[in-house]
Amino acid sequence: MMSKPRWSLLATVTLVTTLLAGAPAAAQDEGPITDPIPEDPVTSELGLTVREFAQFPKSEPTPAPTDPRLMRHARINHLGELPDGSGRKYVPDLNGNLYFVPESGEPEVYLDVKAEFPDFFSGRGMGQGFGFVTFDPDFRRNGVFYTVHTEAGAALDKETTFPRQPRTQYHGIVTEWRADDPASDTFHGTSREILRLGFAQQIHGIQQIDFNPTAKRNSEDHGLLYIAVGDGGLGVSSTEPQDLSTPHGKILRIDPHGNDSVNGQYGVPASNPFVGQQDAVGEIFAYGMRDPHRFSWDPKRGPGGNRMFLGHIGQHAIESVYEVRKGDNLGWSEREGTFRYDRADDCYLYPLPDDDGNYDYVYPVAQYDHNPPPDWECGTDVGRAISGGFVYRGDDAPELRGKYLFADLVDGRVFYTESGEMRRGAEPATIHTMRLYDENGNWVTTPELAGDTRVDLRFGRDADGELYLLSKANGKIWKITGTKRFADCPTGSTVVKNAMGEKNWAPVTPEKWEFPRREVVLAEEGSERPGPRRPYEYAVLTKGPEFGSVRLDAQVRLDTPVEVTNRDVVLVFGYQSDTRFYYAHLSTDNTIYPHNGIFVVDDADRERIDHQWDPVRSQGAAPAITDAEWHEVSLTHCAETGEIAVYVDGQRDPLMTAVDPTFTSGRVGFGSFDNVGRLRDLSVMGRKS
């Protein structure tokens, strides 16, 4: 996934933003690309506050599974709200039940889908079972809704709507239901099958069905049903997703109330892009997909609104978000994200060819890659898969408005991009990773909420545009209630400025320091000293009091020649003594444990505490300082929560973050491990300890 680039920090604002956003790596002589997107998503200062909304009863797959990934508490995978003004939410469980959830938050079984079909099948394959449900926009009046489920066994002898894939292992079925009483909390009514597809493998089936909630009654989209159909696993070895004569690897659009389809059970909209084209399936709305996981529309009206976004699960390395329009070709199985896919290579992707513009492929508006560990075996699952989400337009969390929230369904990371940055034909938008907080403001992770390292995370949205998180691991749903900024603590009103004079500093080795006007200069590199490993040379600011919560703003410069790869300066804070303090290490190198991170020294060798460090890949946050220019640095330490955030050059999001309760007060300082550098424009604002 994301390697160890070195670049000038003067270009960081532009270049790092581009790389973090998921721009393709430079062509490697047309050879395989081992690290397609060289940088991780940006750690956002903005987090989500959540509260538990509902707990679902335990359910079991049919037949009993052998794959531990199917052994979940409840395989809930979506939340929506009935379009009837009742406030009732609906949640499907892959193992068979359709639940309604009233305002009380207590799930009630509305319909046992499994019981209606003798060949119902949910015990093999990640998406098998009762996969999705959506309600007709006129449900209040007509009681109509639609489900997707899978069947195997004797059902494989049934005729499919289109020719099935070879060696079909299961069928995916879209069913229309009509409730006798739409206001009832238990289903009574009739049903009919409208579409049946056969899939070669127990993966990449019909992932979602839905209506465009932004479509006006007089628009071409009103009342049309979108169906996201995966490639059945065949795209890795064939071009079927590119073949317009088959529905696999496509998004279909149908009129469920019509009857001019090949089976007479639904209509084919005349406005579909391939209607009338020889040998093309008229139902196709867009094509070239591997596993179209979740799609949604931005409800914003006017310019930039009503756009359809799709979370697309990749094969080798790339998880993508696309803006999908009528007739689009997303490129699979010839492209994966903004890279070329080679069916002869089971491991890697390749640069786009010089003639790529001739193919008219549509590329992602956001993407991230898999970051396999160094001992990764080619062809094995890295454990990354995108869970598509929604553009937030609700009221509970104003700071989220206009942001597209989505997740990695496996490890539970929650992301956002700015919808305004998600533009076709432009560089992919910057992806931000978000923290979660409970109702008391405590930082929590999705694995902690789910009680499992495999989170199986999905998003839901209600009629007011508010968002929800769902986990199969423990069958719980949490509502997103607001936002919280990291290290957003009051730092008091005591300010220390104009402190550049020599009398205000206590260096470890005074003769190594100079104090020209308005600067503090470490003019000679330090030497390692006995005791715990820590910066070799630093000076502590003695002017002003010791601070509890504190904010430090300054400009720093690294004077060691840029040819030295492990150049650094450090900001000291929470200083108690020569063997008890924190420091932020601002370095050119982010690839070894001691560099470019946040550390604590507590009468023992320095310990790395920042969240950005990945010990498996030996990589931390993007390099902080790579040239010999001045750079703005801001550091906040919240004494009560232990939150620490470091910002460089006015970036909106922190370069480094940590939470550590070791020291709740102390002084600040400046120095280096074994390099030279300088400090100016220092301002310290804090609360007296």
Side-chain angles (χ1 to χ4, degrees):
M1 269 166 121
M2 299 161 188
S3 65
K4 305 90 185 167
R6 296 179 174 87
W7 53 73
S8 165
L9 194 61
L10 285 177
T12 295
V13 174
T14 300
L15 183 56
V16 173
T17 298
T18 299
L19 291 174
L20 292 178
Q28 301 176 3
D29 299 325
E30 301 304 315
I33 300 174
T34 57
D35 185 14
I37 301 175
E39 282 297 326
D40 290 319
V42 174
T43 299
S44 175
E45 69 169 355
L46 197 63
L48 305 175
T49 58
V50 300
R51 64 171 172 82
E52 187 172 323
F53 172 72
Q55 169 70 70
F56 286 77
K58 186 172 178 56
S59 62
E60 300 292 343
T62 303
T66 57
D67 186 341
R69 296 176 300 176
L70 274 67
M71 299 174 187
R72 310 273 77 190
H73 179 87
R75 297 172 66 204
I76 54 175
N77 63 0
H78 181 64
L79 176 146
E81 183 170 325
L82 295 173
D84 63 357
S86 68
R88 295 175 295 177
K89 314 297 187 293
Y90 59 85
V91 177
D93 183 327
L94 280 159
N95 291 334
N97 280 334
L98 170 58
Y99 293 95
F100 279 2
V101 186
E103 292 300 321
S104 66
E106 292 296 326
E108 302 168 354
V109 177
Y110 176 71
L111 170 65
D112 183 350
V113 174
K114 177 176 67 175
E116 299 293 324
F117 303 103
D119 298 311
F120 181 91
F121 183 89
S122 66
R124 303 287 186 275
M126 299 300 295
Q128 305 293 285
F130 170 30
F132 210 85
V133 59
T134 189
F135 288 77
D136 189 285
D138 294 324
F139 173 77
R140 178 193 296 194
R141 178 182 57 82
N142 62 23
V144 172
F145 62 99
Y146 299 86
T147 62
V148 170
H149 75 280
T150 56
E151 296 179 0
L156 299 184
D157 294 330
K158 295 181 179 180
E159 183 177 355
T160 54
T161 308
F162 296 95
R164 66 192 72 190
Q165 290 183 320
R167 296 178 295 280
T168 289
Q169 295 190 33
Y170 78 94
H171 288 178
I173 299 96
V174 178
T175 303
E176 179 185 271
W177 307 78
R178 189 175 296 270
D180 296 335
D181 178 8
S184 174
D185 290 327
T186 304
F187 177 77
H188 298 285
T190 59
S191 66
R192 68 182 182 97
E193 180 178 308
I194 64 172
L195 178 71
R196 179 180 290 262
L197 301 178
F199 294 89
Q201 301 179 35
Q202 291 167 347
I203 54 175
H204 309 173
I206 302 176
Q207 286 282 27
Q208 180 180 351
I209 55 175
D210 227 336
F211 295 93
N212 179 356
T214 71
K216 297 180 179 180
R217 283 194 172 273
N218 58 354
S219 70
E220 75 167 48
D221 233 13
H222 179 71
L224 300 186
L225 184 65
Y226 286 77
I227 305 172
V229 182
D231 69 357
L234 297 189
V236 296
S237 57
S238 76
T239 60
E240 183 168 3
Q242 292 293 309
D243 184 355
L244 292 176
S245 69
T246 171
H248 301 93
K250 319 295 194 301
I251 290 178
L252 311 180
R253 185 173 68 168
I254 68 172
D255 178 1
H257 302 298
N259 59 11
D260 63 345
S261 61
V262 293
N263 65 359
Q265 299 303 305
Y266 60 87
V268 179
S271 58
N272 277 2
F274 304 107
V275 167
Q277 181 171 318
Q278 186 175 3
D279 298 327
V281 172
E283 289 88 334
I284 294 174
F285 179 80
Y287 66 110
M289 301 168 204
R290 175 183 180 269
D291 194 10
H293 178 256
R294 289 289 185 268
F295 57 84
S296 65
W297 286 265
D298 180 357
K300 177 187 174 184
R301 298 292 183 184
N306 299 161
R307 294 188 293 164
M308 180 184 186
F309 292 114
L310 168 71
H312 187 265
I313 298 176
Q315 172 71 21
H316 282 338
I318 306 300
E319 305 301 314
S320 307
V321 180
Y322 290 84
E323 181 194 341
V324 181
R325 299 177 188 173
K326 184 167 62 174
D328 278 351
N329 180 1
L330 277 56
W332 178 254
S333 56
E334 308 303 307
R335 300 288 184 268
E336 182 177 335
T338 52
F339 303 90
R340 180 171 66 86
Y341 176 77
D342 186 341
R343 282 181 293 281
D345 189 336
D346 292 334
C347 298
Y348 300 111
L349 299 174
Y350 290 78
L352 297 177
D354 292 337
D355 65 348
D356 183 67
N358 297 333
Y359 297 97
D360 202 27
Y361 295 129
V362 173
Y363 288 113
V365 293
Q367 60 181 2
Y368 66 98
D369 66 359
H370 286 180
N371 278 346
D375 59 352
W376 172 70
E377 294 184 19
C378 172
T380 58
D381 185 9
V382 179
R384 301 287 188 271
I386 193 170
S387 181
F390 303 90
V391 176
Y392 182 79
R393 299 292 179 187
D395 295 322
D396 289 351
E399 289 188 292
L400 296 180
R401 286 185 190 137
K403 292 176 170 54
Y404 176 76
L405 275 71
F406 61 106
D408 190 286
L409 62 87
V410 180
D411 64 24
R413 285 177 295 168
V414 176
F415 305 115
Y416 81 81
T417 60
E418 297 288 352
S419 62
E421 294 181 7
M422 299 165 69
R423 295 296 179 189
R424 292 160 58 114
E427 292 291 346
T430 301
I431 295 177
H432 305 256
T433 306
M434 306 190 77
R435 294 176 179 82
L436 269 64
Y437 298 88
D438 65 18
E439 292 181 272
N440 297 317
N442 300 311
W443 180 38
V444 293
T445 66
T446 51
E448 289 171 343
L449 289 174
D452 199 306
T453 55
R454 184 181 178 91
V455 180
D456 272 327
L457 194 69
R458 305 295 196 281
F459 269 92
R461 179 170 65 181
D462 65 23
D464 294 326
E466 305 303 337
L467 301 184
Y468 299 75
L469 297 173
L470 303 81
S471 173
K472 294 180 185 176
N474 59 1
K476 288 188 176 183
I477 297 179
W478 300 267
K479 184 177 182 180
I480 296 173
T481 58
T483 56
K484 183 179 185 300
R485 292 185 177 273
F486 187 80
D488 189 27
C489 56
T491 51
S493 56
T494 301
V495 178
V496 178
K497 300 180 73 172
N498 303 319
M500 296 293 98
E502 182 175 3
K503 65 180 180 179
N504 299 320
W505 295 85
V508 171
T509 311
E511 57 268 26
K512 295 181 182 292
W513 292 79
E514 297 175 0
F515 296 89
R517 187 177 182 183
R518 298 180 181 175
E519 290 185 15
V520 172
V521 180
L522 174 55
E524 182 180 339
E525 65 186 45
S527 301
E528 186 172 6
R529 294 173 289 131
R533 186 152 180 91
R534 60 202 189 279
Y536 296 171
E537 188 65 39
Y538 60 86
V540 175
L541 178 67
T542 58
K543 183 178 180 180
E546 288 192 6
F547 289 111
S549 294
V550 65
R551 173 169 172 164
L552 182 160
D553 292 280
Q555 290 191 352
V556 299
R557 196 176 91 182
L558 233 170
D559 293 339
T560 299
V562 294
E563 291 77 17
V564 178
T565 60
N566 61 351
R567 306 155 66 245
D568 73 84
V569 291
V570 302
L571 294 178
V572 173
F573 58 104
Y575 180 86
Q576 307 278 308
S577 71
D578 186 40
T579 59
R580 302 186 76 228
F581 58 92
Y582 295 112
Y583 68 93
H585 191 272
L586 307 173
S587 175
T588 297
D589 179 39
N590 69 337
T591 64
I592 65 173
Y593 181 83
H595 291 171
N596 211 60
I598 302 173
F599 299 81
V600 61
V601 180
D602 187 17
D603 292 326
D605 287 355
R606 50 95 179 99
E607 177 185 357
R608 187 159 190 159
I609 58 175
D610 58 283
H611 303 127
Q612 286 66 42
W613 176 248
D614 183 344
V616 176
R617 294 183 295 132
S618 295
Q619 181 175 317
I625 296 180
T626 62
D627 54 28
E629 305 298 327
W630 287 100
H631 295 283
E632 297 178 357
V633 180
S634 179
L635 183 152
T636 299
H637 175 214
C638 298
E640 292 183 358
T641 64
E643 293 177 323
I644 303 164
V646 179
Y647 296 79
V648 176
D649 284 345
Q651 291 278 10
R652 176 180 60 181
D653 295 305
L655 181 69
M656 309 169 190
T657 59
V659 176
D660 186 88
T662 304
F663 305 127
T664 58
S665 64
R667 294 190 175 274
V668 302
F670 170 75
S672 176
F673 251 88
D674 55 359
N675 296 131
V676 292
R678 59 189 66 207
L679 174 85
R680 73 181 184 190
D681 294 345
L682 174 67
S683 174
V684 183
M685 181 171 66
R687 180 183 298 166
K688 294 181 181 179
S689 62

